[in-house]
Amino acid sequence: MTIYAENEQDQLLISDLLLQTDGSTTRTIEIIVRNQVNIHVYEHERTVSASVPEDVRQAFPANGQFIRRLSSLTLPGRVLSYNIVYANLLTLPADLARQLDNRQFPLGKLLAEYPTRREITETGIEHRSGMEAFAPYSLTASAYLMKKYKIMGGDSCWFYLIEYFDLDAIVRSASRIASSKP
């Protein structure tokens, strides 16, 4: 199946896939663009709960030592999405917390060994001025599709993610691949 993104209906389909899929976003984007994406980590740091946004902090069952990671999914010369990941090390299984704290990536591959589920909490559109964490980096779009969700392990929130999708970059990447097919 080839995804053609030359009209508004196709763009809506891609938007729906990105915002409503409760599986691996990386895998979803790779299916859309029919190519493996790269993960670029801008920041990976421990932080105290006081510096974590209140809505994120409320998702976790306990205070503790948090990790905050800023990253993007890219193709050569093109950023497809920007991501913020929060994890409370106290809620994670010890081996997963150790691997995460030691910067072993990507998150999806670390989680493949664990039974988890994703709970989407919010979707919408975010203007680049609302993406302060990424201000030092090259935000090329004026607005991004936004999805917030929790990755749950049992009844505990293990991760809270905020993803910002550059729909135009994803559509162009899907169209480029579609147009190169005979």
Side-chain angles (χ1 to χ4, degrees):
M1 177 178 99
T2 302
I3 296 177
Y4 293 93
E6 297 175 358
N7 63 47
E8 189 174 327
Q9 183 178 3
D10 294 333
Q11 290 182 14
L12 289 173
L13 173 63
I14 291 173
S15 295
D16 285 347
L17 285 170
L18 294 169
L19 296 178
Q20 302 306 318
T21 300
D22 62 0
S24 167
T25 300
T26 302
R27 184 68 185 128
T28 300
I29 290 174
E30 288 177 336
I31 290 168
I32 293 169
V33 302
R34 302 189 88 176
N35 201 348
Q36 184 174 356
V37 298
N38 300 307
I39 298 171
H40 178 77
V41 177
Y42 300 102
E43 299 175 21
H44 179 95
E45 61 189 7
R46 280 185 175 230
T47 187
V48 295
S49 62
S51 66
V52 175
E54 180 64 26
D55 62 326
V56 173
R57 208 171 40 240
Q58 289 179 359
F60 293 97
N63 284 329
Q65 185 65 53
F66 285 84
I67 286 184
R68 175 179 168 266
R69 180 178 80 177
L70 302 180
S71 61
S72 62
L73 297 177
T74 66
L75 287 173
R78 189 170 287 179
V79 176
L80 305 175
S81 73
Y82 292 92
N83 313 288
I84 305 174
V85 177
Y86 292 95
N88 183 335
L89 294 173
L90 295 178
T91 64
L92 298 175
D95 59 329
L96 181 58
R98 187 173 41 260
Q99 290 176 41
L100 182 66
D101 199 28
N102 289 333
R103 299 172 147 255
Q104 292 183 20
F105 299 105
L107 183 61
K109 290 187 180 180
L110 292 176
L111 290 176
E113 302 172 21
Y114 299 91
T116 60
R117 69 183 184 288
R118 289 167 169 80
E119 294 180 2
I120 298 170
T121 59
E122 183 180 346
T123 61
I125 296 175
E126 183 70 58
H127 190 273
R128 78 170 149 216
S129 64
M131 299 169 54
E132 296 87 13
F134 293 101
Y137 310 105
S138 298
L139 296 173
T140 56
S142 60
Y144 293 79
L145 294 177
M146 180 272 304
K147 177 167 70 173
K148 295 181 181 183
Y149 63 96
K150 300 183 281 188
I151 296 179
M152 306 292 291
D155 292 332
S156 296
C157 179
W158 286 3
F159 299 93
Y160 190 97
L161 290 90
I162 306 167
E163 297 178 325
Y164 303 103
F165 305 104
D166 186 334
L167 182 60
D168 289 339
I170 293 169
V171 166
R172 282 193 311 271
S173 296
S175 295
R176 186 188 77 229
I177 293 194
S179 65
S180 68
K181 301 288 181 194

